[in-house]
Amino acid sequence: MKSIDVNVSVLDRNNRIAAEVQAGLTERGIRMVNLLGSPGSGKTTLMEALVNGGHFAPSELAVIEGDLYTAQDALRMKALGVQSVQINTQGACHLEADAVRKALDALDLTGVKTVVIDNVGNLVCTSEFLLGEHLRVGVSSVTEGNDKPTKYPLMFQTADVVVLNKVDLAPYTNFSVEQFCADVEGLNPGVPVVACSALKGQGVEELAALLK
């Protein structure tokens, strides 16, 4: 009996499209950032802080929002004057490169320097799929607990930057920043870990420098 590894086939096709997407953006001088993290880690709030803090001009930024349902996050970006397109997966736990390519086609990229993918809130599936990004940012938060790197290693292993968000809440929890950083370092030696509070503006300037 002939056996077909469907997962490998799907990933191969996805990675081929991702490479094409990345090459097209590079040719146009546009950088794409993929934000990964669990629901409630603060990915969209970080984007708001980056714009409100003047680190990204709204006209030079475009955002692809990935969610199972609703356009709530895309509307938050549009309220800031940022061009945004919503991808609703209707229950699927991740975005794929083909959907991102179609989303890019729906955007006017004239004058845009940075595209951010605000990925579906998920610590597992999203990490497996390249989307054509130049930079992959893993976002975790103090309120999730400091065991996430060891429980969900792939996101942290594949990240170019790790953000620890909501650090202003650390004094009110048993979260160990030191253990979190040590676990991330063990999985991905040398990866920058940025301590942030999106609501307070802490660490946002440092993150902006890395994204650019």
Side-chain angles (χ1 to χ4, degrees), residues 1 6 12 15 36 40 53 56 66 78 90 100 147-149 151 164 174 177 179 182 184 195-196:
M1 180 185 297
V6 175
D12 282 350
N15 293 346
L36 307 172
F56 285 93
K78 288 181 179 179
Q90 305 296 321
V100 170
D147 57 355
K148 294 303 172 287
K151 285 187 174 181
L164 176 59
N174 62 353
V177 175
Q179 186 62 55
V184 171
C196 281

Side-chain angles (χ1 to χ4, degrees), residues 36 41 138-142 144-145 148 155-156 163-165 180:
L36 307 172
S41 60
V139 182
S140 191
S141 66
V142 163
E144 298 172 64
K148 294 303 172 287
M155 187 188 85
F156 298 91
V163 174
L164 176 59
N165 195 23
F180 178 88

Side-chain angles (χ1 to χ4, degrees), residues 15 24 38 61 72 77 84 96 107 131 146 188:
N15 293 346
S38 63
L61 180 67
Q72 293 176 6
M77 291 294 101
S84 182
E96 296 185 13
L107 291 166
L131 302 178
N146 57 259
N188 192 350

Side-chain angles (χ1 to χ4, degrees), residues 8-60:
V8 170
S9 176
V10 169
L11 287 175
D12 282 350
R13 177 181 180 276
N14 179 84
N15 293 346
R16 184 176 67 253
I17 295 172
E20 294 170 358
V21 168
Q22 186 186 80
L25 290 172
T26 300
E27 187 176 347
R28 299 182 64 171
I30 299 172
R31 193 179 201 197
M32 188 155 70
V33 178
N34 187 2
L35 282 184
L36 307 172
S38 63
S41 60
K43 301 187 298 299
T44 309
T45 306
L46 279 171
M47 289 304 307
E48 290 175 325
L50 288 164
V51 175
N52 288 328
H55 303 291
F56 285 93
S59 62
E60 297 179 351

Side-chain angles (χ1 to χ4, degrees), residues 2-181:
K2 188 175 182 180
S3 177
I4 300 175
D5 192 329
V6 175
N7 189 48
V8 170
S9 176
V10 169
L11 287 175
D12 282 350
R13 177 181 180 276
N14 179 84
N15 293 346
R16 184 176 67 253
I17 295 172
E20 294 170 358
V21 168
Q22 186 186 80
L25 290 172
T26 300
E27 187 176 347
R28 299 182 64 171
I30 299 172
R31 193 179 201 197
M32 188 155 70
V33 178
N34 187 2
L35 282 184
L36 307 172
S38 63
S41 60
K43 301 187 298 299
T44 309
T45 306
L46 279 171
M47 289 304 307
E48 290 175 325
L50 288 164
V51 175
N52 288 328
H55 303 291
F56 285 93
S59 62
E60 297 179 351
L61 180 67
V63 178
I64 297 171
E65 291 286 353
D67 282 299
L68 276 67
Y69 303 99
T70 84
Q72 293 176 6
D73 290 345
L75 292 173
R76 287 168 66 181
M77 291 294 101
K78 288 181 179 179
L80 299 176
V82 176
Q83 190 180 180
S84 182
V85 62
Q86 181 74 50
I87 300 176
N88 287 134
T89 65
Q90 305 296 321
C93 62
H94 63 274
L95 296 180
E96 296 185 13
D98 193 37
V100 170
R101 179 166 60 181
K102 292 175 183 175
L104 289 168
D105 289 341
L107 291 166
D108 179 4
L109 296 178
T110 305
V112 170
K113 295 182 179 179
T114 306
V115 175
V116 176
I117 303 167
D118 188 351
N119 215 318
V120 177
N122 189 298
L123 287 175
V124 183
C125 308
T126 54
S127 304
E128 298 179 354
F129 287 82
L130 297 174
L131 302 178
E133 66 268 29
H134 298 89
L135 191 75
R136 179 173 282 205
V137 179
V139 182
S140 191
S141 66
V142 163
T143 52
E144 298 172 64
N146 57 259
D147 57 355
K148 294 303 172 287
T150 53
K151 285 187 174 181
Y152 304 95
L154 186 59
M155 187 188 85
F156 298 91
Q157 288 170 327
T158 60
D160 300 297
V161 177
V162 172
V163 174
L164 176 59
N165 195 23
K166 306 183 185 180
V167 293
D168 55 309
L169 299 178
Y172 309 103
T173 72
N174 62 353
F175 189 94
S176 170
V177 175
E178 294 77 12
Q179 186 62 55
F180 178 88
C181 291

